Amino acid sequence: MEKKISEKKRNEFFDYVKYFNSNFTDKEINDGIDTYLEIVPSKWWEGVGTGDREDVFVIMTMNRRKKKITWSWERLVEINKNSR
């Protein structure tokens, strides 16, 4: 993982994502956060911000629709760009 965060910050991030995306299971949220933290470049990490939450939502939604996605930061940026 390029950017490690403390357990406390990770739990805050989980709570923040869960609050706005309660229709996802805890496992889906944890998987989405883990994927996001693996692919996000350090310079883009906002630290439990709205943009981070929305990126995790995109990952969770796409994971729910398509089982096999190879995630990368570039892929996430492309999906966000195409959805606007």
Side-chain angles (χ1 to χ4, degrees), residues 7 13 15 18 27 29 35 38 41 43 45 48-49 67 72 74 78-79 84:
E7 189 67 28
F13 196 14
D15 291 343
K18 176 91 174 172
K27 180 175 180 354
I29 293 170
T35 299
E38 286 174 14
K43 66 181 180 179
W45 170 249
V48 193
K67 297 293 183 195
S72 68
E74 293 77 17
E78 176 186 324
I79 290 170
R84 292 190 177 133

Side-chain angles (χ1 to χ4, degrees), residues 4-65:
K4 301 233 182 205
I5 62 173
S6 70
E7 189 67 28
K8 180 180 179 206
K9 190 61 99 175
R10 173 73 168 66
N11 290 338
E12 289 174 10
F13 196 14
F14 176 87
D15 291 343
Y16 188 55
V17 172
K18 176 91 174 172
Y19 179 78
F20 288 97
N21 301 287
S22 59
N23 61 328
F24 287 90
T25 67
D26 287 359
K27 180 175 180 354
E28 287 175 311
I29 293 170
N30 280 316
D31 289 348
I33 290 172
D34 290 343
T35 299
Y36 179 69
L37 291 173
E38 286 174 14
I39 66 172
V40 66
S42 296
K43 66 181 180 179
W44 291 106
W45 170 249
E46 296 175 19
V48 193
T50 301
D52 302 300
R53 183 193 76 226
E54 290 172 356
D55 284 342
V56 171
F57 175 73
V58 168
I59 291 169
M60 292 186 307
T61 301
M62 296 300 287
N63 283 346
R64 192 178 260 188
R65 291 182 189 164

